[in-house]
């Protein structure tokens, strides 16, 4: 698969290297093409670096790691993104002292999708810190670390689920893109636990499905009044 990265920061670099190691064709874009070329040199595996426009043209899948700035501002033309899968890992800024305000009426992912209506936006990879990617793949598989994924486009979601699975994660289908409101709140929560409650960057949130109880010795679930 051809994967273009918009931005060369922590998330782009980490995921790009992991997917290049799995045999995907990776191109990093940056405001500074030399920076992108340096990342490609570090990564090896025939990866490439250049401008954000080049990365957007290159990829069938585009990883968008620029927080709060729309593709229509970052790219010279959003036509590069038509029909493509856009992976959005962004979380909102952490407020001073983790004093978050009300839940978002609209997620960053939905705002992104509104800017690029001809692309297929997927929310993914926003609920774990960069350090977790450094563990890929074996400990992630052993510990069944969830990547929560939502999108309005089933094919795009499936692509993201396969890419997550290839690097050791347990992909969890979270329904339509609207669920990004919940996933971004989950991103707020895990960062609070990591930084605010000092659990450190290897703390993650995963879904565990337990075996059914053999006996309902507590009376079982009764209709709620
Ligand atoms: N780091 C984590 O552990 C983590 C985990 C989960 C989610 N996230 C979320 O993922 C997103 C990226 O995080 P990160 O840690 O990768 O951030 P980062 O290292 O600061 O990278 C951000 C990228 O955005 C680009 N950028 C910044 N300002 C820009 C502008 N004005 N115009 C165009 N591009 C710009 C930069 O690319 P160039 O300088 O190459 O142009 C840079 O590569 C954030 O929303 C963050 O909340 C981060």
């Amino acid at each position: 698969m051809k994967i273009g990265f918009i931005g060369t920061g922590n998330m782009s670099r980490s995921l790009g290297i992991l997917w290049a190691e799995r045999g995907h064709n990776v191109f990093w874009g940056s405001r500074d093409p030399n920076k992108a070329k340096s990342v490609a040199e570090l990564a090896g595996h025939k990866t490439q670096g250049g401008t954000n426009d080049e990365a957007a043209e290159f990829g069938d899948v585009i990883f968008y790691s620029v927080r709060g700035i729309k593709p229509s501002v970052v790219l010279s033309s959003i036509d590069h993104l038509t029909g493509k899968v856009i992976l959005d890992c962004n979380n909102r800024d952490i407020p001073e002292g983790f004093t978050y305000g009300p839940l978002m009426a609209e997620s960053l992912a939905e705002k992104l999708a509104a800017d690029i209506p001809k692309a297929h936006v997927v929310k993914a990879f926003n609920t774990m810190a960069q350090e977790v990617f450094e563990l890929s793949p074996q400990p992630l598989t052993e510990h069944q670390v969830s990547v929560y994924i939502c999108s309005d486009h089933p094919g795009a979601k499936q692509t993201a689920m396969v890419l997550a699975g290839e690097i050791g994660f347990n992909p969890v289908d979270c329904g339509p893109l609207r669920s990004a409101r919940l996933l971004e709140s989950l991103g707020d929560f895990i960062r609070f636990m990591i930084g605010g409650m000092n659990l450190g960057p290897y703390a993650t949130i995963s879904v565990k499905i337990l075996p059914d109880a053999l006996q309902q010795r507590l009376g079982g679930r009764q209709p709620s009044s």
Side-chain angles (χ1 to χ4, degrees):
M1 203 172 282
K2 291 169 83 176
I3 310 177
F5 287 79
I6 308 301
T8 55
N10 289 299
M11 292 296 280
S12 282
R13 188 190 64 252
S14 303
L15 278 158
I17 293 173
L18 291 177
W19 284 325
E21 286 172 354
R22 295 289 171 280
H24 294 290
N25 296 317
V26 166
F27 192 114
W28 281 280
S30 173
R31 291 166 294 177
D32 173 0
N34 288 327
K35 199 167 149 190
K37 285 177 183 151
S38 306
V39 174
E41 251 171 59
L42 165 80
H45 295 282
K46 299 185 180 162
T47 57
Q48 301 171 71
T51 64
N52 282 323
D53 277 333
E54 287 171 324
E57 275 186 88
F58 175 87
D60 298 318
V61 172
I62 305 295
F63 189 84
Y64 197 77
S65 71
V66 184
R67 183 213 307 258
I69 305 175
K70 297 172 182 175
S72 58
V73 174
V74 173
L75 303 175
S76 66
S77 167
I78 56 168
D79 291 347
H80 298 324
L81 304 180
T82 298
K84 297 187 176 181
V85 176
I86 314 295
L87 302 178
D88 169 36
C89 68
N90 289 288
N91 281 315
R92 56 181 169 162
D93 275 324
I94 300 175
E96 183 73 28
F98 293 94
T99 51
Y100 284 101
L103 286 182
M104 281 167 285
E106 195 183 29
S107 61
L108 296 173
E110 290 167 285
K111 288 180 185 161
L112 181 64
D115 188 54
I116 45 174
K118 293 181 180 163
H120 309 309
V121 173
V122 180
K123 188 87 207 176
F125 301 107
N126 71 309
T127 59
M128 67 284 297
Q130 185 276 341
E131 286 81 350
V132 171
F133 297 96
E134 300 280 357
L135 296 173
S136 170
Q138 199 51 37
L140 304 182
T141 307
E142 275 168 27
H143 292 275
Q144 298 202 337
V145 178
S146 298
V147 169
Y148 301 100
I149 296 175
C150 66
S151 176
D152 290 335
H153 190 278
K157 192 196 289 181
Q158 183 57 27
T159 298
M161 293 190 64
V162 169
L163 286 170
E166 282 178 3
I167 56 175
F169 288 103
N170 180 31
V172 178
D173 184 344
C174 298
L177 195 64
R178 186 187 167 92
S179 304
R181 299 174 192 193
L182 301 173
L183 298 188
E184 290 174 14
S185 292
L186 212 49
D188 293 341
F189 175 70
I190 190 62
R191 290 180 299 161
F192 166 66
M193 294 308 287
I194 289 170
M197 299 306 290
N198 300 317
L199 291 191
Y202 295 99
T204 62
I205 311 174
S206 295
V207 166
K208 302 279 180 197
I209 299 176
L210 305 177
D212 290 3
L214 295 176
Q215 282 182 328
Q216 303 284 310
R217 67 183 174 81
L218 307 180
R221 177 175 293 277
Q222 301 298 320
S224 172
S225 59

